[in-house]
Amino acid sequence: MNALQVAVRDYPHTRPLKEGLITTEGYDLDFAEVEPIHRAFAPMVRESRYDVSELAVATLLQAVEAGRPVVALPVVLHGNHHHRSIWTWEDSGGLTPEDLRGRRVGVRSYSQTTGMWVRSVLSGTFGVASRDITWVTREEPHVASAQEPANVERTATPLVDLLRAGDLAAVVMGARSADHVEGLVPLIPDWKARQEQHFEEHGWIPINHLAVVRRDLLEERPDAVRAVYRALTRGIDFARPASTGTVRGSVVQYGVTDTLLATLETAIGHAREQGLITSPMTAESLFADFTRHAGA
């Protein structure tokens, strides 16, 4: 039997599978090396290149709307707070989130999930709607048929260069990348207190990536999908002791839980408000096929 083709990032909870410490109940896994992992997303939703893949939430929602043959597993691989995911220059003169109205902000792709969560912070906390900003992007959506709002532009110039030149007011970027750019500071200075407040109020941390499978694999070989799901859950359990008390320990989870559904219902609402999707859908519907074919 051919090995299942898998594209997931190297995390503490996926490393045991990659290193063979956790097996997949009679199924071999062939892990593709894709770095950064978002480069696996377009091939997955456009070509079904992998049997199992990590996939960003916003891309998943667009893929479901477009009828692409991918099915979500209730396995959260990555997530984080995003109050610190929008940056400006330290000498920007005290720029505030409210000052972004009518300005230009850079983001790798409008459909990037980090950007979706950042826009939700700007809208929900500071009253700055997505439509109030011109979004300057470097990449198109992973889902080829996905449409972008009229206030989205494309550029070939690196976003940090545009920010340095004054053509952008801010850029959306994960902290791991921003830390390598000298002079960047968080646009929201009290980001830490605000993310703690968000967690206290809502009880969840934004989800960025889930695991997904090809629809035909689920329908034709549900036993294989069930084995992959169980292996992923064992990987999470394996890594849990070392992640207790961390963001990773709070956001990485499995199972169709109330927390998972509440987080994804919020993401769906933001995606519709921001024009990432137009169709109504529910968080529970994302896992209906998995539950029907392999949930037992």
Side-chain angles (χ1 to χ4, degrees):
M1 186 177 296
N2 294 332
L4 299 177
Q5 303 299 307
V6 182
V8 295
R9 188 178 162 194
D10 189 20
Y11 300 106
H13 44 283
T14 60
R15 202 171 299 132
L17 282 71
K18 291 187 171 187
E19 296 176 352
L21 300 176
I22 292 175
T23 59
T24 318
E25 299 174 5
Y27 293 90
D28 293 329
L29 303 181
D30 183 6
F31 289 95
E33 294 300 324
V34 184
E35 180 61 34
I37 192 61
H38 70 254
R39 292 179 180 167
F41 299 166
M44 183 62 185
V45 297
R46 297 184 185 191
E47 310 165 16
S48 299
R49 182 176 299 181
Y50 310 105
D51 295 302
V52 183
S53 179
E54 190 166 339
L55 194 67
V57 167
T59 297
L60 171 65
L61 300 181
Q62 291 185 326
V64 169
E65 182 172 61
R68 301 307 303 154
V70 295
V71 177
L73 305 185
V75 177
V76 178
L77 295 174
H78 174 58
N80 209 337
H81 296 286
H82 292 295
H83 293 77
R84 192 168 61 130
S85 295
I86 182 166
W87 305 76
T88 189
W89 288 125
E90 58 187 354
D91 59 354
S92 60
L95 189 75
T96 70
E98 291 87 350
D99 294 330
L100 295 182
R101 290 189 182 89
R103 306 287 288 276
R104 294 157 56 84
V105 174
V107 62
R108 178 175 56 80
S109 170
Y110 186 73
S111 60
Q112 182 191 29
T113 298
T114 294
M116 180 192 74
W117 287 119
V118 166
R119 289 190 293 270
S120 76
V121 171
L122 294 176
S123 176
T125 303
F126 300 99
V128 181
S130 175
R131 63 181 177 274
D132 296 334
I133 295 171
T134 296
W135 299 94
V136 181
T137 67
R138 293 263 294 169
E139 299 178 13
E140 64 183 4
H142 298 302
V143 178
S145 61
Q147 299 297 307
E148 296 176 322
N151 59 324
V152 176
E153 299 178 0
R154 196 88 69 241
T155 182
T157 306
L159 298 178
V160 171
D161 291 349
L162 292 177
L163 181 67
R164 186 177 289 112
D167 293 331
L168 299 178
V171 293
V172 174
M173 188 183 302
R176 189 174 64 163
S177 299
D179 286 343
H180 295 292
V181 182
E182 185 177 356
L184 285 182
V185 295
L187 178 69
I188 303 172
D190 57 344
W191 58 268
K192 188 172 184 180
R194 288 186 181 275
Q195 70 184 27
E196 291 172 354
Q197 181 181 2
H198 179 277
F199 185 71
E200 289 176 3
E201 292 178 354
H202 300 281
W204 49 261
I205 294 171
I207 293 169
N208 280 58
H209 300 168
L210 295 168
V212 302
V213 297
R214 288 189 1 248
R215 179 176 296 280
D216 62 332
L217 178 69
L218 175 65
E219 294 174 348
E220 297 169 11
R221 298 167 61 189
D223 55 331
V225 174
R226 193 177 297 116
V228 168
Y229 173 72
R230 290 173 177 166
L232 289 169
T233 65
R234 287 198 295 271
I236 291 172
D237 288 339
F238 183 92
R240 197 178 302 281
S243 62
T244 300
T246 67
V247 169
R248 179 182 289 115
S250 296
V251 72
V252 172
Q253 58 187 280
Y254 59 84
V256 184
T257 64
D258 290 343
T259 300
L260 176 66
L261 295 177
T263 313
L264 292 177
E265 286 290 353
T266 303
I268 290 169
H270 291 316
R272 293 194 69 187
E273 179 185 11
Q274 297 171 21
L276 290 166
I277 59 173
T278 59
S279 304
M281 63 181 74
T282 66
E284 197 165 6
S285 70
L286 299 176
F287 307 109
D289 289 332
F290 167 77
T291 300
R292 180 168 58 254
H293 289 284

